[in-house]
Amino acid sequence: MSPTKFVDREAPVQGAIVVHPDREGRAGARQPEARLEEAAGLALALDLEVREAVIATLRKLTPATLFGGGKVEEIAARVRAAEADVVVVDDALTPVQQRNLEKAWQVKVIDRTGLILEIFARRARTREGRLQVELARLTYERSRLVRTWTHLERQRGGFGVMGGPGETQIETDRRLIAEKIGKLKRELEEVRRTRTLARSARRRIPFPAVALVGYTNAGKSTLFNRLTKAEVVAQDMLFATLDPTIRALKLPDGRPAMLSDTVGFISDLPHELVEAFRATLEEVREADVVLHVRDIASAETREQADDVRAVLGQLDVDMDERRILEVWNKADLLDAEARAEVLQDARRARPPAIVVSAVTGQGVDDLLAAIAGLVDEAPPVQVLTPPGDGAAVAWLYRHGRVIERREGEDGAVTLTVSLTPQALGQFEQQFPAAKVDAAEG
């Protein structure tokens, strides 16, 4: 009897070299070592075996290859020595640069945008998530047909009496992609309509909405599980979860709220993904309270926070007109001295931040109490702000729950808003020109 032969159907492990181009003089640049570590983490999230990670200093950009000739040859030698199959370039490459580098290195080259898109494509689980990722991928690939196809010179014959050369294959492919993009946008619009109906139904139930946002791997999903006793995927990996999840959250007084977990942000998030996930992140725009979860143990926690604010700005989420509560997570990773310093900084912050550990549960009770204070319902009042008094309007959005907004022809704004007694007293002291009355009905 011959021994049974097994067929290995698993895809072979692909070795990768990760290269971070360190552009001299780039405004607001993060530390290159941190960026390189993040890029390597992205490669690992794509199941690549990172065999080497290098920082390549760029004194000037080369239009054809991004890197200078000497650096291209140096990386080619590293590719051969490591027997790599892929080179990950932690920057945005033009289609021409990507094609030229693949010719020079004789391996597949993927830039930061393509890497993130590929991770999203693998991780999306819901229909909405898949639609969004596919839309983003097609938008990205539309400009890269020159690299993707090798048969672009072919032409299809014309139709009708005139005949003629017809359209080239690249024109056909672009037209087909454009048609598919249009179809995906229509399907996403239907998903958005369904989500809007679901959101409207939730509004009829008087439960406040709370949304989690934060840099990828800041611990949002772990915190979400801790607060809701859910079992959302939570791993020490970039973009471990993509699809939005909504669960009930019980506040200290027993009152329920709705908590939503959203996709993590990252520096230089591809604009194709920002646009594609606009519908999903509307949960953030509609939330009564936004919890900004930060990895306080990271050396780049401030820079990551700035990146989150930048993406929210792209989504038209005004951070000054939302009740934002910063949650400083991963306190368990700090030593005693660093933890004491962080706690002191959190008390000084305005508004004060809440220091927690989603893993151990430290600070979670304080967080729930803070959320309850922000969403505490009170009889609504009607506030008439003078024309041009944007500060009063912004204050009400930050400290109250705006139920209705009406704008007069003279620029005056009337808000129906729910405020705690303490917040109402503070408002009347700070903005005596505003008129406050009991809400109608």
Side-chain angles (χ1 to χ4, degrees), residues 15 25 28 93 160 164 199 219 241 284 309 312 338 350 353 356 376 382 429:
L93 295 175
R199 194 179 296 118
T241 181
V284 179
R309 294 188 188 100
L312 287 174
R350 288 293 175 267
V356 305
D376 193 20
Q382 189 167 283
Q429 279 187 339

Side-chain angles (χ1 to χ4, degrees), residues 371-407:
I371 296 171
L374 286 173
V375 302
D376 193 20
E377 294 292 345
V381 294
Q382 189 167 283
V383 182
L384 174 63
T385 62
D389 194 352
V393 173
W395 195 98
L396 290 170
Y397 271 98
R398 283 198 303 271
H399 297 87
R401 186 182 183 193
V402 175
I403 300 168
E404 184 181 4
R405 174 174 177 154
R406 299 191 304 275
E407 297 187 13

Side-chain angles (χ1 to χ4, degrees), residues 28-214:
R30 305 260 297 277
Q31 290 298 317
E33 293 79 11
R35 282 295 300 261
L36 181 64
E37 182 181 356
E38 182 177 272
L42 289 170
L44 291 171
L46 198 56
D47 300 324
L48 295 174
E49 181 185 276
V50 178
R51 294 178 182 169
E52 191 173 1
V54 296
I55 296 172
T57 302
L58 293 184
R59 292 181 177 83
K60 65 177 182 177
L61 302 183
T62 303
T65 55
L66 182 67
F67 306 96
K71 188 62 68 175
V72 170
E73 292 179 8
E74 177 191 325
I75 296 173
R78 290 176 181 269
V79 169
R80 291 191 295 270
E83 297 183 348
D85 307 291
V86 181
V87 175
V88 175
V89 179
D90 185 36
D91 208 329
L93 295 175
T94 67
V96 171
Q97 289 170 344
Q98 193 167 4
R99 179 187 60 188
N100 290 339
L101 289 175
E102 286 183 341
K103 285 183 178 179
W105 296 335
Q106 294 297 301
V107 294
K108 180 177 177 61
V109 174
I110 184 169
D111 68 354
R112 184 178 178 86
T113 300
L115 184 64
I116 294 174
L117 286 171
E118 183 66 26
I119 294 170
F120 273 52
R122 290 193 183 189
R123 301 280 172 77
R125 293 290 178 266
T126 65
R127 176 172 176 267
E128 179 183 10
R130 292 193 182 104
L131 285 173
Q132 290 168 327
V133 170
E134 181 66 8
L135 175 60
R137 188 186 65 81
L138 285 174
T139 304
Y140 172 73
E141 285 292 339
R142 181 165 51 182
S143 65
R144 294 172 186 265
L145 287 176
V146 65
R147 179 185 63 84
T148 305
W149 300 95
T150 58
H151 57 286
L152 303 181
E153 69 283 357
R154 292 210 315 259
Q155 291 185 339
R156 295 187 176 185
F159 293 95
V161 179
M162 295 296 292
E167 60 182 1
T168 62
Q169 185 64 41
I170 191 170
E171 289 169 345
T172 301
D173 294 332
R174 281 178 176 157
R175 176 173 54 79
L176 292 174
I177 284 181
E179 290 173 356
K180 192 165 186 180
I181 285 175
K183 181 174 181 289
L184 286 171
K185 285 183 175 179
R186 289 191 295 273
E187 291 184 37
L188 266 175
E189 191 59 38
E190 180 62 24
V191 171
R192 179 179 293 190
R193 189 184 68 82
T194 304
R195 288 176 65 85
T196 301
L197 291 174
R199 194 179 296 118
S200 298
R202 289 201 300 272
R203 279 178 182 165
R204 288 194 289 270
I205 305 172
F207 294 163
V210 182
L212 289 170
V213 300

Side-chain angles (χ1 to χ4, degrees), residues 145-394:
L145 287 176
V146 65
R147 179 185 63 84
T148 305
W149 300 95
T150 58
H151 57 286
L152 303 181
E153 69 283 357
R154 292 210 315 259
Q155 291 185 339
R156 295 187 176 185
F159 293 95
V161 179
M162 295 296 292
E167 60 182 1
T168 62
Q169 185 64 41
I170 191 170
E171 289 169 345
T172 301
D173 294 332
R174 281 178 176 157
R175 176 173 54 79
L176 292 174
I177 284 181
E179 290 173 356
K180 192 165 186 180
I181 285 175
K183 181 174 181 289
L184 286 171
K185 285 183 175 179
R186 289 191 295 273
E187 291 184 37
L188 266 175
E189 191 59 38
E190 180 62 24
V191 171
R192 179 179 293 190
R193 189 184 68 82
T194 304
R195 288 176 65 85
T196 301
L197 291 174
R199 194 179 296 118
S200 298
R202 289 201 300 272
R203 279 178 182 165
R204 288 194 289 270
I205 305 172
F207 294 163
V210 182
L212 289 170
V213 300
Y215 205 80
T216 185
N217 212 30
K220 291 189 291 66
S221 295
T222 304
L223 182 62
F224 182 87
N225 290 341
R226 170 71 65 172
L227 292 172
T228 64
K229 297 180 174 57
E231 295 182 356
V232 173
V233 175
Q235 300 175 8
D236 184 15
M237 181 185 290
L238 299 178
F239 297 121
T241 181
L242 295 180
D243 296 306
T245 309
I246 300 175
R247 294 286 187 275
L249 169 69
K250 185 175 288 187
L251 298 176
D253 59 2
R255 208 158 43 88
M258 302 304 295
L259 181 66
S260 61
D261 185 17
T262 60
V263 63
F265 298 156
I266 196 168
S267 61
D268 301 328
L269 185 68
H271 71 272
E272 294 93 347
L273 276 177
V274 174
E275 288 300 315
F277 277 80
R278 185 177 292 273
T280 301
L281 294 171
E282 280 179 357
E283 294 291 343
V284 179
R285 298 180 65 181
E286 299 292 332
D288 298 298
V289 175
V290 177
L291 303 183
H292 178 188
V293 183
R294 290 172 53 178
D295 176 2
I296 203 62
S298 169
E300 298 224 323
T301 182
R302 293 183 185 277
E303 291 81 1
Q304 292 174 358
D306 290 340
D307 288 330
V308 171
R309 294 188 188 100
V311 175
L312 287 174
Q314 288 179 273
L315 292 166
D316 300 324
V317 176
D318 191 339
M319 298 289 278
D320 292 330
E321 292 199 2
R322 288 288 183 277
R323 280 174 291 174
I324 308 290
L325 179 61
E326 286 210 346
V327 183
W328 294 1
N329 190 27
K330 301 192 180 183
D332 56 298
L333 300 182
L334 301 172
D335 58 35
E337 184 179 349
R339 191 180 302 122
E341 186 176 339
V342 164
L343 287 168
Q344 192 174 29
D345 290 342
R347 285 191 291 268
R348 290 174 182 161
R350 288 293 175 267
I354 307 296
V355 180
V356 305
S357 167
V359 171
T360 67
Q362 172 195 339
V364 168
D365 289 342
D366 294 336
L367 174 59
L368 287 170
I371 296 171
L374 286 173
V375 302
D376 193 20
E377 294 292 345
V381 294
Q382 189 167 283
V383 182
L384 174 63
T385 62
D389 194 352
V393 173

